[in-house]
Amino acid sequence: MIGDATLGVPEGREVVLRLLEDADVLIENFKTGTLERWGMGFDEVLSQRFPRLIHCRITGFGDSGPLGGLAGYDAAVQALSGLMSINGEPAGQPTRLGVPIVDVATGLNAAIGILMAVVERTRSGRGQQIESTLYDCALSSLYPHSINTLFTGKPPLRSGNGHPNIAPYDTYATGTDPIFLALGNNGQFERMCKVVGRTDMPTDPRFATNADRAVNRFVLKTEIESAFAPYNAQQLFTELTRVGVPCGVIQNVVEALAHPHTAHRDMVAEIGTHRSIASPIKLSRTPASYRSAPQQIGQSTVQVLKASGVPDADIDALLSSGAIRQSGQGAA
């Protein structure tokens, strides 16, 4: 990890350029124009010196346009992109999503872009620049609201936990905890009704098709919650999932992390005393392994430079000048 302080001095920039000689990918999220100001722009310098290098730039809004060059922050982009406007209860205020979804989506799209560029390079032999912006990724996450709006020209209304196009697709009270239903077709609706003894509902004209149910979603919710009232949420979950009805008891984070299926999927990684969420990508031949806990910034600086062939005397000089930093374990 290369920090601002390292690249801010010529000696630090030379270290980075040396590391790039055999690098495949450079990822950076400096403010737009920072690398160019340091004489390390992709078009002018990096692509000329390292023609196979893939440069991934992550920014808030890109480097041009009405918002170009502005710093990007997840919650602010949620507001600007429309994401916040669709989140929350119908009668409430627009609400930030509880996780930094824009940051997550931007990172995932950046990784996908890098992989695309790596594959393309096997044919062309050339690297290229990839740009992943918070704003673009937020807009791409608006489905199905973006499609609905492009079709109707009208801004979507907040629907709480409900789906704008599908019903029943919402949170429903039971005799104990709430349960979320995510029913996508008539067959699932019929099976759900049979489990709770309401075989009359699928033939009710108000609920016969998804379109009917969506129009009458509030009446439908009252009927469903009345049918669910005698049930324990966990009992109902077991009975519904047994017949292929998609649903889930609403758990808190402690309950989710302690769930037996979380353990079965090896989704909590332990490295010494450090615990974290494991990789959700399961590779059959080369599975993820967890060898070191998260490091402090600069913790492996000396190790990386030595592995790259930088003489010890040069490393000592760089440390003394402040061009590089070494912190935590493994300090020289």
Side-chain angles (χ1 to χ4, degrees):
M1 181 180 292
I2 304 300
D4 195 346
T6 302
L7 288 170
V9 296
E11 297 89 345
R13 294 196 286 274
E14 285 303 316
V15 170
V16 174
L17 291 172
R18 178 167 183 167
L19 293 175
L20 291 178
E21 289 177 0
D22 60 355
D24 286 303
V25 181
L26 169 67
I27 305 173
E28 55 93 3
N29 66 336
F30 292 117
K31 290 181 180 179
T32 302
T34 300
L35 282 189
E36 288 76 9
R37 189 174 70 250
W38 286 334
M40 296 177 62
F42 180 76
D43 291 332
E44 303 82 1
V45 177
L46 297 182
S47 65
Q48 305 299 318
R49 185 165 172 177
F50 313 109
R52 291 179 54 82
L53 180 68
I54 294 166
H55 172 213
C56 180
R57 165 166 282 174
I58 298 175
T59 66
F61 301 91
D63 61 3
S64 61
L67 302 178
L70 294 181
Y73 297 91
D74 181 280
V77 176
Q78 285 192 34
L80 283 166
S81 66
L83 275 175
M84 199 176 289
S85 75
I86 60 173
N87 193 50
E89 291 301 318
Q93 294 295 315
T95 305
R96 178 182 68 84
L97 278 70
V99 295
I101 189 65
V102 179
D103 287 346
V104 172
T106 304
L108 289 173
N109 282 318
I112 293 168
I114 289 169
L115 295 176
M116 293 169 65
V118 169
V119 171
E120 192 282 333
R121 190 179 62 182
T122 64
R123 296 193 294 267
S124 68
R126 298 174 59 194
Q128 59 184 302
Q129 188 176 60
I130 301 155
E131 185 178 49
S132 185
T133 77
L134 299 182
Y135 189 74
D136 295 352
C137 294
L139 289 174
S140 73
S141 302
L142 278 170
Y143 180 84
H145 304 281
S146 54
I147 301 300
N148 292 345
T149 299
L150 290 170
F151 182 74
T152 66
K154 299 178 181 179
L157 301 175
R158 286 184 297 283
S159 56
N161 283 334
H163 193 286
N165 301 352
I166 304 172
Y169 200 106
D170 202 344
T171 303
Y172 299 87
T174 71
T176 55
D177 300 313
I179 194 169
F180 192 94
L181 297 179
L183 277 62
N185 58 56
N186 290 339
Q188 293 171 349
F189 182 63
E190 291 170 6
R191 293 195 296 275
M192 184 271 292
C193 292
K194 184 177 181 179
V195 166
V196 296
R198 288 297 307 272
T199 55
D200 59 300
M201 284 204 293
T203 58
D204 188 319
R206 298 172 299 174
F207 313 137
T209 68
N210 178 71
D212 298 323
R213 294 191 292 271
V215 170
N216 297 290
R217 67 178 66 242
F218 300 113
V219 176
L220 177 63
K221 185 166 187 173
T222 299
E223 294 290 340
I224 289 175
E225 290 188 331
S226 175
F228 284 3
Y231 288 87
N232 171 285
Q234 289 292 343
Q235 171 201 0
L236 184 60
F237 168 76
T238 299
E239 294 189 22
L240 290 177
T241 54
R242 184 181 293 126
V243 296
V245 174
C247 62
V249 178
I250 298 178
Q251 301 183 136
N252 63 38
V253 177
V254 171
E255 293 168 333
L257 292 177
H259 196 282
H261 197 68
T262 302
H264 175 75
R265 295 297 300 169
D266 293 324
M267 281 306 299
V268 175
E270 297 187 7
I271 309 165
T273 59
H274 177 78
R275 302 177 75 220
S276 183
I277 297 298
S279 172
I281 300 173
K282 309 300 185 183
L283 300 175
S284 64
R285 187 169 53 81
T286 56
S289 61
Y290 308 97
R291 299 175 296 278
S292 60
Q295 297 187 352
Q296 300 177 37
I297 294 176
Q299 185 171 317
S300 296
T301 298
V302 170
Q303 177 185 349
V304 170
L305 293 181
K306 286 184 175 181
S308 299
V310 179
D312 289 348
D314 291 350
I315 294 175
D316 291 339
L318 290 166
L319 288 167
S320 298
S321 69
I324 62 172
R325 289 183 291 173
Q326 173 70 43
S327 59
Q329 298 176 356

